[in-house]
Amino acid sequence: MAILNWTWWRHPGPLRHPARGAGRRAHRWGWLLLLLGVLCAETRAQVPGELERQVKAAYLYKFAGFVEWPDGSFARPDAPLVIGVAGADALAEQLEQSVAGHSVNGRAVQVKKVRRGETLAGLHVLYLGALEKAALQEMLAASRGLALLTVSDSDEVYAMGSMINFVMAEDKVRFDVALKPVAQAHIRISARMLLAAYRVQTGGA
């Protein structure tokens, strides 16, 4: 079973908002290409759920490199980029392993397990996993007004207003993007990432 869309890594495509130091970033992401190659080679030897977590963790890290946050989103020039994970502790642990020792645009990456009722301030990416509907609604409501990229893997949560949603298409992990909530959060997603998306909804989910 193939669960990774390789198009994004193989075809660079044009950038609407090119990031500075793209060449250096491409070099740093060499480890990610190697990791994903190993994952695909070992697909048959691993539990599908475990492999899916590894691929989603790699995507979450990758997303961070293709998003621009507005001025003031980082407390200090050397402040880390923080990825919050709610309702998916196993994914958070996998992500911690994946990003250890790596950076995004010169910033260290931290992973934080987020619980219901905790503040979302200080996060830059938030993955919403298996939570009660009321908790999901609360977190999405709390995310509004923040420069925070929200990611889910549920059509229901996507319909509530998450910006990116993982989907399975032709046995591959792909992702949809809703541009309306992205614009409302005053963050920008590069054209390269949008080209790699399975579907892009200009009017939101």
Side-chain angles (χ1 to χ4, degrees), residues 2 15 21 34-35 43 45 58 100 124 127 162 180 196:
L15 279 175
L34 177 62
L35 168 65
T43 297
H124 303 96
Y127 173 84
S162 71
K180 183 177 179 180

Side-chain angles (χ1 to χ4, degrees), residues 124-144:
H124 303 96
V125 180
L126 174 63
Y127 173 84
L128 296 164
L131 295 167
E132 295 179 356
K133 184 175 181 178
L136 291 166
Q137 290 173 327
E138 287 177 13
M139 287 191 176
L140 282 171
S143 73
R144 296 187 180 101

